[in-house]
Amino acid sequence: MFTLNFFKASKGGAFYTFASELWPTGEIAPTPTHYFFRLLHEKGLLARLYTQNIDGLERLAGVPSELIVEAHGTFETARCVHCGQNHDSNAVRDRILCQQVPIMCELCNNAEGFVKPDIVFFGERTPEKFHSRPGDFEKCDLLLVLGTSLKVTPFNTLPGTVRVVTP
């Protein structure tokens, strides 16, 4: 269900149904760990927050968007899978939650111009923001790894990118 080819072939049907149940609506609150990240930011100790989560709870807890790198994408933005045009994520959310789908891109008017949230499907490249921060790890003086088994690429490579002396 989470491949771009399946999404296109099914006209988003199965994904849109699943997304209506998964979409962050504010019913789930950030955890103390999310607020811990905000506290680190408020004290000037958080350089960047890399996450595999797509639920947006870091942002909801108050971590500024510019510090968050969402490796598996986000529901915060949406775009056409054909032309890449950005779309209003609130409008996309409303259409998905009301099951007014598929959502087609009116700008490219292509038969494969489906609009989806910017979450990463299997086989898709992780967001550019994930790959464009090499200085983060060179300057890192403490790397916290929480809530992951480190079995999934590309996250399992991150601990090896900091200096040897970095705890």
Side-chain angles (χ1 to χ4, degrees), residues 5-24:
N5 287 339
F6 181 77
F7 177 79
K8 289 177 181 178
S10 68
K11 299 183 184 220
F15 170 75
Y16 289 136
T17 299
F18 185 69
S20 69
E21 298 171 15
L22 186 64
W23 201 289

Side-chain angles (χ1 to χ4, degrees), residues 75-86:
F75 281 99
E76 284 292 308
T77 56
R79 72 185 70 247
C80 172
V81 298
H82 180 74
C83 73
Q85 177 64 39
N86 289 327

Side-chain angles (χ1 to χ4, degrees), residues 4 8 25 33 39 46 51 62 89 96 107 118 163:
L4 198 52
K8 289 177 181 178
T25 58
T33 303
L39 179 64
L46 181 68
T51 182
S89 63
I96 288 174
L107 297 170
D118 285 332
R163 295 171 292 152

